[in-house]
Amino acid sequence: MPLMAKRKNKHWWFLIGLLSALIAAPNATFIRSVVADAGVLQFNIYRFTAATIVTAPIVWKHRRKYRPKNIPSMMAGSLLMTVAVLSYVSALKVAPASYVTIITLLTPIIFIIYASRLAGERFDSQSLAGVSLAAAGGLVLVAGPVALKQHGDFVFYPLGTALTLINSMTFPLSIIFFARANKKGVPMTALMGVSTATTLVCAVALAVVTSTSVPVPSPHIAAVALYSGIMVAVIARSLNIASYERIGAVVSSSLGYLESLLAIILPVLVLHEQLSREMVIGGVLILLGLFVVEHHKSRHHKHHHAFHHH
């Protein structure tokens, strides 16, 4: 592929990763608004039923592509994603969304560690500096307002912390396994279909074991479940994994911090909420870090990706 075409292609995948972050940004806020009324298992059953119905024809269409060489990665990714989403929604029920968001700032860093250890990606100092800037911006953006609001009285949520850490460790690992399965011939939408079906089966099994009733959801809960199940669990995740395969863990991690920025900035733009000093400082750091990473990658064309070697 010519150099200019290759650069343009990577920029397109960067924009796709950006679109993924934009779609998923309001997810935590929306889930937090309904999970107390809906219940953790019930909400996950609602949203993954919708996602499974939408993706079932795709899963069936590509059934001949599920082979011994890709089934282990596909199922490992699906089970890890199940643990990730159940722990995340549970964390949002027992701890404030801002508290959970602070801990999930670790996720992109863990993602880079996994990509280095398991996928063999190589990262130079400038790329890591860009991610560090984005991480600092995320910390200022989320932790600053929380600290000011609490006036030094920090509230610790042990269960919420443990659940969020489980999510931060399992979610990026599932992405890597899905990328492996995709490289071995399983289409991304089919992978997301298998993943959502796996999560649905596990959630239903837990509901049966714990004798949890699942009533018909209210229109508001149903709307959030449709958004979280189809737009986020299927579309945004597919775009996220596909872009990660082309732009690498460093840029994907920086986009993760941009998602945190968007999650807080969107209410300012849509609901006309006040823009704070912490938002401005955190946003500038995140965007600067993202620029450093993307500009460096585009200029040097040194995208080492272990999946290309399998």
Side-chain angles (χ1 to χ4, degrees), residues 27 30-32 34-35 38-49 89 203 214 220-229:
N27 194 39
F30 287 163
I31 291 176
R32 178 67 178 173
V34 301
V35 71
V40 173
L41 289 178
Q42 294 93 327
F43 179 72
N44 278 297
I45 289 172
Y46 299 147
R47 67 168 172 162
F48 287 109
T49 296
V89 176
V214 184
H220 176 57
I221 293 174
V224 174
L226 287 172
Y227 157 75
S228 187

Side-chain angles (χ1 to χ4, degrees), residues 133-183:
L133 274 174
L139 189 61
V140 171
L141 186 72
V142 181
V146 174
L148 290 174
K149 183 178 179 181
Q150 292 180 345
H151 301 291
D153 299 327
F154 177 73
V155 179
F156 179 64
Y157 299 87
L159 182 57
T161 300
L163 290 168
T164 310
L165 286 174
I166 290 172
N167 169 265
S168 293
M169 289 185 290
T170 54
F171 181 78
L173 193 55
S174 71
I175 297 297
I176 288 177
F177 276 110
F178 282 139
R180 286 181 177 177
N182 181 238
K183 281 294 178 184

Side-chain angles (χ1 to χ4, degrees), residues 55-102:
T55 57
I58 300 172
V59 172
W60 177 255
K61 178 182 177 180
H62 297 288
R63 64 189 182 280
R64 297 184 185 280
K65 295 182 180 179
Y66 311 139
R67 301 182 180 279
K69 67 177 182 179
N70 55 44
I71 287 177
S73 294
M74 180 172 63
M75 293 312 302
S78 297
L79 292 172
L80 286 165
M81 185 64 76
T82 297
V83 174
V85 298
L86 291 177
S87 60
Y88 183 70
V89 176
S90 299
L92 287 171
K93 185 172 184 178
V94 299
S98 56
Y99 184 93
V100 172
T101 304
I102 291 173

Side-chain angles (χ1 to χ4, degrees), residues 29 49 78 90 99 127 143 195 215 237 281 292:
T29 302
T49 296
S78 297
S90 299
Y99 184 93
S127 295
S195 174
R237 281 186 196 153
I281 295 173
V292 169

Side-chain angles (χ1 to χ4, degrees), residues 19-307:
L19 177 61
S20 169
L22 183 62
I23 293 172
N27 194 39
T29 302
F30 287 163
I31 291 176
R32 178 67 178 173
S33 70
V34 301
V35 71
D37 296 328
V40 173
L41 289 178
Q42 294 93 327
F43 179 72
N44 278 297
I45 289 172
Y46 299 147
R47 67 168 172 162
F48 287 109
T49 296
T52 300
I53 291 172
V54 168
T55 57
I58 300 172
V59 172
W60 177 255
K61 178 182 177 180
H62 297 288
R63 64 189 182 280
R64 297 184 185 280
K65 295 182 180 179
Y66 311 139
R67 301 182 180 279
K69 67 177 182 179
N70 55 44
I71 287 177
S73 294
M74 180 172 63
M75 293 312 302
S78 297
L79 292 172
L80 286 165
M81 185 64 76
T82 297
V83 174
V85 298
L86 291 177
S87 60
Y88 183 70
V89 176
S90 299
L92 287 171
K93 185 172 184 178
V94 299
S98 56
Y99 184 93
V100 172
T101 304
I102 291 173
I103 299 175
T104 56
L105 294 176
L106 292 170
T107 305
I109 301 299
I110 294 173
F111 186 25
I112 289 177
I113 294 172
Y114 285 157
S116 175
R117 299 291 184 181
L118 302 177
E121 287 200 47
R122 301 291 182 264
F123 311 111
D124 54 44
S125 57
Q126 189 167 343
S127 295
L128 295 177
V131 174
S132 298
L133 274 174
L139 189 61
V140 171
L141 186 72
V142 181
V146 174
L148 290 174
K149 183 178 179 181
Q150 292 180 345
H151 301 291
D153 299 327
F154 177 73
V155 179
F156 179 64
Y157 299 87
L159 182 57
T161 300
L163 290 168
T164 310
L165 286 174
I166 290 172
N167 169 265
S168 293
M169 289 185 290
T170 54
F171 181 78
L173 193 55
S174 71
I175 297 297
I176 288 177
F177 276 110
F178 282 139
R180 286 181 177 177
N182 181 238
K183 281 294 178 184
K184 293 177 180 178
V186 184
M188 196 60 63
T189 48
L191 285 171
M192 292 302 97
V194 173
S195 174
T196 57
T198 301
T199 305
L200 175 61
V201 169
C202 291
V204 170
L206 286 171
V208 172
V209 170
T210 58
S211 301
T212 302
S213 61
V214 184
V216 176
S218 67
H220 176 57
I221 293 174
V224 174
L226 287 172
Y227 157 75
S228 187
I230 298 173
M231 295 300 295
V232 176
V234 177
I235 297 176
R237 281 186 196 153
S238 296
L239 295 176
N240 177 251
I241 298 170
S243 63
Y244 157 62
E245 290 186 276
R246 276 82 176 183
I247 62 180
V250 169
V251 181
S252 293
S253 296
S254 299
L255 286 172
Y257 290 115
L258 182 62
E259 184 178 321
S260 298
L261 170 63
L262 292 172
I264 296 175
I265 292 297
L266 281 176
V268 175
L269 299 176
V270 178
L271 303 177
H272 306 290
E273 295 182 359
Q274 186 176 358
L275 184 67
S276 69
R277 179 175 54 192
E278 291 80 10
M279 287 183 185
V280 174
I281 295 173
V284 168
L285 287 173
I286 289 172
L287 293 175
L288 182 59
L290 192 57
F291 172 79
V292 169
V293 170
E294 174 62 9
H295 176 70
H296 179 64
K297 288 284 183 183
S298 298
R299 184 179 54 161
H300 290 278
H301 309 287
K302 291 180 180 178
H303 176 51
H304 301 278
H305 207 305
F307 295 139

